[in-house]
Amino acid sequence: MDTPAAILAKKLAYLLDERIIVAAALARACGVSKQAITGWRRTGRIAKPHLQVIAEMANVSLEWLLDGNPPASETVTQFRPPRPTWPFKSVSWERYFALSADDKADLDRRISAIVTGYEASGDDGRKSPPTSLAS
């Protein structure tokens, strides 16, 4: 029987092999080297903050990552709701997930303000964003 760490290693390998997540983007998002990702894949010893990043990037639950059950496509689909179409043509999800938590929060605030500006315009959404956010 596999240890919990061995099962976690298999799940990470599954997510990487199926290209659900990309090792280079995961490394950037976690602030570690690609060699660290290789080590995680081999050992399954991953710090809890990095587990949250893996779950977020793969669109799976922490429960699925840590449940102790080997990876199987049916368990992934059980915990993986369909990923919505990525809304940005000029920014890939890999680049987004490589941002720091502070940068993601700042981007969220900026996008929220822009969308609110469009909603407040009452027209067909072609209003320019607020000047304080345009740069």
Side-chain angles (χ1 to χ4, degrees), residues 14-72:
Y14 174 84
L15 295 172
L16 293 166
D17 292 345
E18 294 298 316
R19 303 218 19 101
I20 295 168
I21 55 176
V22 177
L26 178 59
R28 282 191 303 273
C30 291
V32 300
S33 67
K34 286 196 282 184
Q35 291 81 5
I37 305 301
T38 301
W40 295 351
R41 182 182 181 137
R42 191 179 64 252
T43 67
R45 291 189 309 242
I46 306 168
K48 289 192 185 220
H50 300 314
L51 289 172
Q52 182 61 49
V53 173
I54 293 168
E56 184 179 314
M57 288 183 74
N59 198 27
V60 298
S61 68
L62 274 173
E63 291 80 16
W64 180 80
L65 283 174
L66 299 172
D67 68 8
N69 295 316

